[in-house]
Amino acid sequence: MVPSRGEEQCTSRRALLSAVAASAVAATPLLAAMPASAATSTEATDASDADLSLVLLGTNAGPPPLADRYGISSALVVNGKTYVIDCGRGAVTQYMRAGLSLPSLTSIFLTHLHADHIVDYYAFPLLAAGAAGTQGFQTTVSVHGPGSAGIASTVTGAPGTVPGTVEMTKLAGQAYAASPTFFMTEHAGIDPATLLTVHDVLPPDTTGASATNTAPAMQPFTVMEDDNVKVTAILVPHGAVYPAYAYRFDTDHGSVVFSGDTAPTPNIITLAQNADVLVHEAVYPDGLLGLGLPQALVDHILATHTDVAKLGAIAAAANVDTLVATHLGPGDPATVPDTTWRRLLRASASSAGYNGRMILGSDLLHLPVKHRG
């Protein structure tokens, strides 16, 4: 029997595990994952030998910058290759602080095109283009993000419709053309555009999705597959944003799902079914009350995000081994201390009868991932 393309890729992926693992980047010490019943405890461990590791680069929700949390961004390290999910404020700085190397960067995935998820995106190629030797990219980095849905732009001076990831990248290259031009004139850099292969991700036509029906019930669809990982996506509801995605990464060592920004939706449960780790956003409604926000904005936040109290039920329904709460809103520890977040996670797990691990995300948390035993 002639193997299918997917079977050939899977076989190839397994065959390369030992060879690729030898190039694994060094990992910094990490906070051990604690069960919900012991979520206030931490313990130093080492995941430098892990074949699959999750790294939270930044865990803050929303565009307003904070001193104590960086913008939302995560990294998945598979056999020494790094896949970045969202590029919030400070993503490049945190990437380096986490002990990750630019030569290990293989792909970038954008869940949606809100500012707090993309503000540091073009900084990766722009800064790497001026780097020499092992400080820059080793290979062309593939980028996958929402395509244009033809939604009319309301920004002054912006042409026509809201750009998708491909067009956004092109426009960013034009906006920052001065720096690489000057570097290349002096033979000190290259064109950042040559470091990226960018792909617009649009849902299958059969879903019936649109700007007015942003996340109908659907099955996940394949976005990308290489020797290390298969990536699938599903639409999630996030207000006016379309398309907005959650991504699932399946590897020979485990599976990790990233919710992106989303209101509660059955699509997350479909995508995350039986995953080893679900990285899910969280908002604490009572924590918003003292921020002095207009009521209309509070209502919008609550309608487009997921109450932390619902995470236990989501984890239980998806039958995941571990849930990691990130994209914390409010993210300021002075407003909602970590002790409060942990208490809320324990209560959420208890009320849903969820017995897996509930982990509070923190900047630079490293978590080794393995298939549940």
Side-chain angles (χ1 to χ4, degrees), residues 31-66:
L31 292 177
M34 292 289 109
S37 60
T40 57
S41 302
T42 61
E43 176 184 341
T45 63
D46 187 355
S48 59
D49 294 328
D51 295 312
L52 175 62
S53 293
L54 168 67
V55 186
L56 301 186
L57 303 179
T59 56
N60 184 45
L66 293 178

Side-chain angles (χ1 to χ4, degrees), residues 16-31:
L16 288 179
L17 289 183
S18 58
V20 179
S23 64
V25 294
T28 57
L30 52 97
L31 292 177

Side-chain angles (χ1 to χ4, degrees), residues 116-369:
D116 53 321
H117 291 250
I118 63 170
V119 68
D120 236 22
Y121 157 53
Y122 202 74
F124 276 100
L126 186 65
L127 297 174
T134 58
Q135 293 179 323
F137 292 173
Q138 212 167 44
T139 60
T140 302
V141 171
S142 66
V143 178
H144 304 265
S148 174
I151 298 171
S153 172
T154 58
V155 175
T156 301
T161 58
V162 172
T165 302
V166 169
E167 184 66 14
M168 178 184 71
T169 304
K170 177 182 176 181
L171 293 170
Q174 294 172 356
Y176 290 105
S179 176
T181 296
F182 298 146
F183 277 135
M184 287 188 289
T185 299
E186 298 172 324
H187 307 288
I190 60 176
D191 183 351
T194 64
L195 298 177
L196 304 176
T197 302
V198 189
H199 307 272
D200 278 340
V201 178
L202 288 169
D205 292 338
T206 55
T207 64
S210 68
T212 56
N213 184 27
T214 59
M218 61 180 291
Q219 291 301 307
F221 63 96
T222 300
V223 173
M224 183 276 281
E225 185 170 4
D226 64 16
D227 290 327
N228 297 300
V229 64
K230 178 180 179 180
V231 183
T232 51
I234 205 164
L235 288 166
V236 295
H238 188 46
V241 180
Y242 179 75
Y245 295 112
Y247 292 111
R248 176 174 178 137
F249 293 73
D250 285 298
T251 79
D252 290 339
H253 315 292
S255 52
V256 182
V257 176
F258 298 86
S259 75
D261 283 11
T262 181
T265 171
N267 281 354
I268 288 291
I269 295 169
T270 298
L271 183 70
Q273 197 63 220
N274 300 319
D276 295 293
V277 178
L278 171 58
V279 184
H280 203 295
E281 66 129 89
V283 65
Y284 178 38
D286 288 354
L288 299 173
L289 299 180
L291 298 181
L293 301 176
Q295 187 59 47
L297 178 56
V298 172
D299 292 343
H300 166 75
I301 293 171
L302 297 179
T304 57
H305 294 277
T306 301
D307 188 333
V308 62
K310 297 181 180 180
L311 294 187
I314 292 170
N319 191 35
V320 298
D321 187 58
T322 299
L323 186 140
V324 179
T326 188
H327 196 276
L328 305 174
D332 189 347
T335 301
V336 183
D338 286 356
T339 53
T340 299
W341 281 112
R342 291 189 178 102
R343 173 178 58 78
L344 294 168
L345 288 171
R346 286 195 298 268
S348 178
S350 177
S351 65
Y354 175 64
N355 296 318
R357 298 186 300 176
M358 296 283 275
I359 300 174
L360 175 62
S362 60
D363 291 4
L364 300 183
L365 175 94
H366 287 218
L367 180 70
V369 179

